Structures are given as C-alpha cells and as structure tokens.
Amino acid sequence: MPDHPSPAVAGVPPARIAALRAAAEAAYRARRPRTQARLAAGNDFLGGVPMHWMRDWPQPFPMLVARAEGAVIEDLDGNRLDDFCLGDTGSMYGHSPAPVAAAIRAQAERGLTYMLPTEAALDCAGLLSARFGAMRWQIATTATDANRFALRVARAVTGRPKVAVFDGCYHGTVDEAMICRDAAGRTVARPGLVGQVADLALSGTALPWNDLGAIDAALATGEIAAVLTEPVMTNSCMVLPAPGFLEGLRELCTRHGAVLILDETHTQSSGWGGYGRGHAIAPDMLVVGKCIAGGLPAAVWGMSPALADRFAAYDARRPSGHSGMGTTLSANPLQFACLQATLTQVATPGAHDRMEAGARRLAEGLAAAIARHGAPWHVARVGARVEFICHPTPLRDGAEARLAHHPALEAAIHAALVVRGCLIAPFHNMMLVSPVTTDAQIDRLTAAFDAVLAELFGDPI
C-alpha cells in the first residue's frame, strides 16, 4: 500500500516544518562559533543556564547576549537582532531607557537597600494612582509575589478559602493558578508541575474564560474569595474578552462578595493606565509587574480604598506574628528610583501612542502576509502586543487556545525568524512594539514573516 502523508499542522505539511527548522538550526550554528565555544567550556549552573527555561528557546543552544539597547539585541558573536520579545514584556519600553539608567547610577551612589522608605517612594504612590486609578499600594519584586500577597489579602477580608482563575491563565508561579480544567470540566493540577504534592483543587477553581454562567455558579457556592484574572488572556494564544464579559465579571464579583483582582503585568501594553482603566473596569485589586520600573525587577499591587479599609480592620484584629507577605529586598530605594523615572519620563502617554501606532502597522503587515499565502491563521492585537495565531478564527477560551497551539510549527517559525534577524517571544507567538521600535524594524519583521510563510505555503511538494 502507498504511504500516506502526515496530516497538515495548521495547514502546513510536517515535512516543510521539519525542513524550515533544520535550515534555521544550521544557519544559527554557523553564525555563532564563539557562543558554541563558550558553552562547550562548561559551567556550574544546573543544565548550563541560570534559569532552567533558558534552555527552552527553540534554538540548538542558548544565545549569549553581549548587549542590548533600544529595541536591538546583540549576541556574543556580534549578531544583531530586532527585538520584539523585549524580555517577554520586562523591557517593553526598550532596553535600558536613558532616564532609568541615570536613576540607577544616581541611586547606586546613595545606597541600594536599607529597609526604609525614601521621599521618592512616597512620590511613587501618587504617580501610580494617577496612572492606574486611586489605590492603596504596596511594592514587590515580581508579579508572582504581588499576586501571592494579593490573594492573602482577599482570603483575609472575605474569610473564604478558594481562588478562581481561568483555564489557560498566566499569573507567574502562584500555586493557586497552576490549575486547569480536564475533559470533564474538573479542576486539576496542570501537567508537568515539579514536586507537586498538595491537591490544588482544594484551594483553586479553574473556570472557562468568556463564560459568565459558569462564573456565576462558582461564585454562588460562597467558597470563592477572589477571581484573579488578566483582562485579556495571554501567554498561551491570546484570547480576548467577549463583548460585555469583563463588565459581567465585575458585576458578578460585586454581587457575590468576591474580590476582583486584575493582573495587568502583560496588558499594561494596551495603553497608558492599562486595559482596565481604558475600558472602565474597576478592580478591587490591581497587580502590575515586569516593565513597571523600566526593566529593573519590581512589581506593584494595590487595593481600592474600600478594600484597604476592610483589610485594616482585619489587620487590627489578627494576632501578632508573620503575615506571610513581603520579602526583604522588596521596596528597596533602587526600585523606587527606577519606578519614578519610568512613570514620569519613559512610560508616557506619548510613548504609548507610538507603541499603538507601531503595533497597528505590524498587525496589518502580518495579516497581509497571512492573506497573501492563504494561511488558515489570524492576527490578534491588544495595544502594543501582537500575536499571530495558527488558527483561522479568534479564540473563545483556554481550551480553544490549547488546540490552536502547535509547538513544532511555532518553534520552526521562531527559529527561522531569528536567523533572519528578528527575535520574538519563544514560548508563544507574541511580539511587542516599544516606543523606540522603528518602522524599518517593523517592516523587516513583516518581510521575514512573509519569507517564512513562502517556505511553508509555497508550491506543493
């Protein structure tokens, strides 16, 4: 009997995916002899890298960065890439913005950490409220920490045990968010968790995105202290809220007495003040991390004045002892120096206007290439955040996002873009446009994407 070809992956023959990946890997190796030699010399990091996921990029070996400036990154071998990953949002405003670099130099001469506030720290609270809305703020080092602390407050003020998150969500490495829905709709731990022993369904409930009925039913149990969510699902395949969904979510949380926590760590790219403020969705708590201090590790979390009053009352009653919130190096003066510089000089309304215009140009260019080659894909955009999704129609929830995720195809595309001088996020198809990204860089990425599609969707084999 004749051999049958393997089924296409998102419209692409597997043989073409393999050929694209092989060619990209060969070119990547040929251009990085110094990097290969340095890695071959070995080191004492586990797996040879300081964080295990640095080996998960779809290249045959990690890129060693020599420097980065603006929206360009340069590796040890002198290869320069237009950077649309931007530290997966950590450097969303560009690498080392001049005001932030100056703030670091100035603060370094005054001390790096001393467990006491500064005048700049006091100024930053007002700057944050002016940007995101009136809140009572606290500072953390990462958004994971901020989310973890926010959940403690929500449980404290409600007296309820569980946290609701959405199937397919991303909130860092918070335990309560490491859950998903199985085929029967039950809450289970995400596959692949390392060293997991506790039953995460005891503390968390995974809900389907864009399903207000399911949310209503879950909140009606009286067990849910908080709903922790991004206003747009990211870090999977980007899934937008259906019209009225976020408004409905806000109303349901109010009706059932659950705390609504918006994690805008990624969606602050949607515009000045974030997605919630831009769409008049008022959360009870807000978390923002990654690029909030221009690339220096920092995160902020705040609660509405009403919730702050409730927490103050709880705090006055609780026994003295460890709160389980806070880390020694959080709220250090270096964070505040960079936060102040970012909020006043870098992440301005004008900067977000430039990001929006550039992202629109990128999304239109990618969509045109997809149409030109007849790919059954689409482009999603929220503010400065753009993704091509290897699925013909917009997605509704996390389950659809999982089905639209094609790791082998996406890895091949990423690798092929890298050897064409364009870096995008490695674990999904996210691209960010910074205030310093040029039209020429956007057009180079569009041209590279078009060339990759030509290889994947060219004449039949």
Side-chain angles (χ1 to χ4, degrees):
M1 296 179 62
D3 291 334
H4 294 284
S6 300
V9 177
V12 183
R16 290 198 169 176
I17 297 172
L20 183 70
R21 180 76 177 267
E25 290 193 355
Y28 183 90
R29 290 179 185 277
R31 296 174 192 174
R32 289 169 175 82
R34 290 184 62 194
T35 298
Q36 291 185 78
R38 182 64 183 85
L39 291 171
N43 62 72
D44 288 339
F45 281 119
L46 178 67
V49 289
M51 282 292 287
H52 66 91
W53 46 254
M54 290 179 175
R55 296 199 66 91
D56 294 342
W57 289 65
Q59 277 80 45
F61 50 84
M63 186 186 304
L64 295 181
V65 177
R67 61 176 285 111
E69 184 177 3
V72 175
I73 199 165
E74 183 176 329
D75 70 12
L76 188 63
D77 288 272
N79 298 292
R80 290 170 60 84
L81 294 93
D82 294 325
D83 188 6
F84 291 87
C85 176
L86 295 169
D88 195 18
T89 307
S91 293
M92 187 178 76
Y93 298 110
H95 295 287
S96 297
V100 175
I104 291 172
R105 288 191 294 269
Q107 184 60 50
E109 296 178 353
R110 300 191 294 266
L112 299 179
T113 188
Y114 22 77
M115 287 186 67
L116 288 166
T118 61
E119 190 174 22
L122 303 183
D123 292 340
C124 282
L127 292 171
L128 288 167
S129 288
R131 183 185 181 96
F132 296 110
M135 291 269 174
R136 301 295 180 261
W137 298 97
Q138 290 281 272
I139 305 298
T141 300
T142 70
T144 291
D145 285 341
N147 279 321
R148 189 178 293 122
F149 304 154
L151 292 179
R152 281 192 173 273
V153 170
R155 286 193 171 110
V157 299
T158 63
R160 299 174 181 177
K162 284 193 172 185
V163 174
V165 297
F166 290 100
D167 184 31
C169 69
Y170 180 71
H171 301 289
T173 55
V174 174
D175 278 357
E176 291 89 343
M178 293 288 107
I179 54 178
C180 61
R181 288 165 60 86
D182 67 10
R186 296 169 298 198
T187 295
V188 296
R190 288 188 176 187
L193 289 180
V194 174
Q196 185 62 43
V197 292
D199 181 359
L200 295 181
L202 296 175
S203 59
T205 298
L207 298 174
W209 179 254
N210 278 327
D211 188 338
L212 291 175
I215 298 167
D216 191 10
L219 296 184
T221 65
E223 296 180 318
I224 306 298
V227 177
L228 171 62
T229 184
E230 295 182 282
V232 175
M233 288 187 66
T234 68
N235 218 52
S236 50
C237 293
M238 191 155 61
V239 188
L240 277 62
F245 173 68
L246 294 177
E247 292 82 357
L249 175 61
R250 171 67 279 180
E251 192 277 328
L252 287 173
C253 286
T254 300
R255 185 198 311 168
H256 291 289
V259 175
L260 176 59
I261 307 174
L262 282 190
D263 181 352
E264 293 242 34
T265 295
H266 283 162
T267 56
Q268 61 188 299
S269 63
S270 64
W272 192 87
Y275 192 100
R277 189 158 197 189
H279 292 78
I281 308 298
D284 301 301
M285 303 185 80
L286 178 70
V287 170
V288 184
K290 293 203 177 183
C291 64
I292 191 66
L296 188 91
V300 302
W301 60 288
M303 60 190 85
S304 70
L307 187 65
D309 289 343
R310 292 174 65 190
F311 180 65
Y314 165 88
D315 201 34
R317 297 191 305 269
R318 74 179 176 90
S320 61
H322 293 288
S323 67
M325 301 187 297
T327 54
T328 302
L329 294 178
S330 291
N332 66 68
L334 190 60
Q335 287 176 315
F336 286 114
C338 294
L339 180 60
Q340 185 179 47
T342 300
L343 292 175
T344 59
Q345 302 177 66
V346 178
T348 62
H352 275 277
D353 288 344
R354 292 192 295 276
M355 294 160 66
E356 175 85 16
R360 187 182 305 112
R361 182 187 186 97
L362 175 59
E364 290 172 354
L366 298 177
I370 287 171
R372 185 159 47 249
H373 294 281
W377 305 354
H378 74 281
V379 174
R381 181 176 76 85
V382 173
R385 188 181 185 95
V386 181
E387 292 186 18
F388 64 87
I389 298 173
C390 303
H391 186 81
T393 57
L395 308 173
R396 178 173 174 80
D397 55 28
E400 288 190 4
R402 280 192 290 274
L403 294 175
H405 180 46
H406 304 286
L409 172 60
E410 293 162 9
I413 295 169
H414 177 98
L417 290 175
V418 164
V419 297
R420 287 165 173 80
C422 303
L423 186 71
I424 68 172
F427 312 127
H428 47 101
N429 307 320
M430 190 276 295
M431 294 150 280
L432 275 172
V433 174
S434 78
V436 294
T437 303
T438 66
D439 285 351
Q441 289 179 296
I442 292 169
D443 293 344
R444 283 196 293 268
L445 174 55
T446 300
F449 183 71
D450 185 80
V452 169
L453 291 190
E455 294 196 30
L456 293 174
F457 291 95
D459 294 334
I461 298 175

